[in-house]
């Protein structure tokens, strides 16, 4: 498994061997949401960075999952439609949301690495 990257909106990204990128929400985000009861997955189309690509609903709230970089969604995790609890049970593995092909693969380097994301979470906890 390659190194994860993160967004300030608490999505994780993993670069795949074929150049695509897998996206999900972090354990921090799913803990904040509570038990996930519904996931609306994105369409297989191009999304601009920052646009809402998916929606996750929990017993506490609904939240958007934002496109971390410009790119084309290639695949969605349709298992989440029947089993949204996978987001809670395995947010970094079976609970992934979608895979996309970034318009600029080097843009992944501009996202947070694990240390920077840990600092973000710590700062949020202290706020």
């Amino acid at each position: 498994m390659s190194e994860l990257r993160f967004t300030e909106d608490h999505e994780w990204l993993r670069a795949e061997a074929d150049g695509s990128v897998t996206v999900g929400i972090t354990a921090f985000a799913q803990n904040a949401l509570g038990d996930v009861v519904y996931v609306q997955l994105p369409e297989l189309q191009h999304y601009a960075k920052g646009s809402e690509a998916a929606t996750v609903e929990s017993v506490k709230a609904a939240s958007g999952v934002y496109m971390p970089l410009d790119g084309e969604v290639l695949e969605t995790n349709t298992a989440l439609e029947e089993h949204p609890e996978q987001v809670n049970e395995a947010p970094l593995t079976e609970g992934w949301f979608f895979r996309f092909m970034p318009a600029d693969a080097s843009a992944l380097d501009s996202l947070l690495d694990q240390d920077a994301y840990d600092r973000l979470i710590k700062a949020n906890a202290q706020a």
Side-chain angles (χ1 to χ4, degrees):
M1 184 183 302
S2 65
E3 177 182 334
L4 293 177
R5 291 293 181 159
F6 302 89
T7 70
E8 292 184 6
D9 293 319
H10 306 287
E11 289 103 13
W12 59 262
L13 293 84
R14 183 180 60 237
E16 304 296 345
D18 65 358
S20 68
V21 176
T22 301
V23 178
I25 63 172
T26 65
F28 178 87
Q30 69 86 20
N31 282 331
L33 284 168
D35 290 336
V36 173
V37 295
Y38 174 75
V39 174
Q40 179 181 350
L41 298 168
E43 298 293 321
L44 300 182
Q45 64 184 32
H46 183 272
Y47 289 87
K49 177 182 178 179
S51 61
E52 188 171 308
T55 304
V56 60
E57 294 181 16
S58 72
V59 294
K60 292 182 182 179
S63 183
V65 177
Y66 300 96
M67 193 67 170
L69 303 168
D70 287 346
E72 176 113 8
V73 173
L74 305 173
E75 180 183 2
T76 62
N77 185 358
T78 56
L80 294 181
E81 294 172 343
E82 297 279 326
H83 302 285
E85 68 278 2
Q86 288 181 339
V87 175
N88 293 103
E89 294 166 0
L92 296 176
T93 55
E94 286 84 13
W96 63 278
F97 282 72
F98 59 92
R99 288 195 176 100
F100 76 101
M101 186 62 69
D104 176 7
S106 68
L108 272 173
D109 297 335
S110 68
L111 299 174
L112 302 172
D113 64 13
Q114 185 70 58
D115 289 340
Y117 184 70
D118 290 345
R119 287 192 299 275
L120 174 71
I121 291 173
K122 187 175 181 181
N124 285 347
Q126 293 173 347

